[in-house]
Amino acid sequence: MGFERIPEWHSTFWHPEHKLFVVVYVDDFKLSGPQDKLQVGWDLISKGITLEKPEPLDLYLGCKHIQSTNTLPDGSQVHDHVRHCPLYTSPSPRD
């Protein structure tokens, strides 16, 4: 497939030709890279295993991921990514 394991970072892989980064956790795959290469990445991965259709980023490891695009005063656009992790920010039952 062309993905290379990143030895120092378990469950992560890099595809040097397409500049794709994938994280695998149990049955969750998170793929990032150039927009025009994402489908290439999913196609490569699906050659080795059966995948469901990719979905937009939402819930991962108990955290809600929220993406948005905003316009700066100079007119340029930025992409924001906010993580909301209530399991990690709520008091524990012992508190």
Side-chain angles (χ1 to χ4, degrees):
M1 290 189 291
F3 285 93
E4 300 171 358
R5 186 172 176 268
I6 301 173
E8 301 83 21
W9 203 0
H10 296 292
S11 301
T12 61
F13 303 85
W14 172 249
H15 196 294
E17 178 184 350
H18 299 300
K19 308 289 187 243
L20 295 168
F21 175 74
V22 65
V23 177
V24 181
Y25 185 78
V26 185
D27 63 349
D28 281 335
F29 290 72
K30 300 302 174 205
L31 180 66
S32 65
Q35 185 70 34
D36 63 331
K37 296 292 185 174
L38 293 177
Q39 189 58 54
V40 172
W42 289 123
D43 292 344
L44 288 170
I45 294 168
S46 67
K47 286 181 180 180
I49 61 170
T50 302
L51 293 176
E52 295 176 1
K53 183 180 178 207
E55 298 176 2
L57 186 61
D58 185 36
L59 191 63
Y60 184 63
L61 299 179
C63 295
K64 176 86 172 171
H65 294 258
I66 303 164
Q67 296 175 302
S68 64
T69 301
N70 293 296
T71 303
L72 298 177
D74 68 1
S76 60
Q77 289 195 332
V78 294
H79 301 283
D80 294 327
H81 179 172
V82 177
R83 247 184 359 192
H84 175 65
C85 305
L87 292 176
Y88 303 114
T89 58
S90 299
S92 71
R94 291 178 281 176
D95 290 343

